[in-house]
Amino acid sequence: DQYTACGEEHIKRFRLKIQYDGSRFSGFQRQAFQGKLLVGSNGKPMPAPRTVQECLEKALEKVSRHRPINLLVAGRTDKGVHASGNVITCDMDW
């Protein structure tokens, strides 16, 4: 489904039905520390946990003329949990 959003004709709202294998993700929801440097208990830098939302938003930004994407989601999953039929919406420059 698409319609004009935000008062701009080129911005459309999309509803996407997704499925994913959550084995290599730390859950669906983007974490507050995403993109920041984390330090492990040994004092060495470690990557932030990878989330499904972060990966989807980055991929959608590439097809939406590199404008920031914020997903709205009907349900979330925990670390390692798979999903089928989850519904997300987002506004994109399309």
Side-chain angles (χ1 to χ4, degrees):
D1 295 357
Q2 304 176 27
Y3 65 88
T4 303
C6 306
E8 298 181 42
E9 291 182 25
H10 60 279
I11 302 292
K12 305 286 183 189
R13 177 152 294 163
F14 292 86
R15 179 185 67 211
L16 307 167
K17 193 174 192 181
I18 62 169
Q19 74 177 41
Y20 53 86
D21 178 337
S23 299
R24 296 184 179 186
F25 292 98
S26 294
F28 183 89
Q29 188 173 7
R30 181 182 346 106
Q31 303 296 312
F33 46 76
Q34 214 70 52
K36 297 179 181 172
L37 179 65
L38 301 177
V39 179
S41 58
N42 60 1
K44 294 184 179 182
M46 57 186 265
R50 191 172 133 197
T51 66
V52 175
Q53 182 176 7
E54 176 195 21
C55 290
L56 284 172
E57 287 175 344
K58 284 182 179 180
L60 291 170
E61 285 172 6
K62 290 179 183 178
V63 298
S64 182
R65 301 180 184 166
H66 299 282
R67 294 183 185 224
I69 300 291
N70 291 306
L71 297 178
L72 297 175
V73 61
R76 300 182 304 218
T77 55
D78 290 332
K79 180 178 181 175
V81 177
H82 313 312
S84 179
N86 277 20
V87 177
I88 60 174
T89 62
C90 62
D91 296 336
M92 291 194 301
D93 185 354
W94 192 262

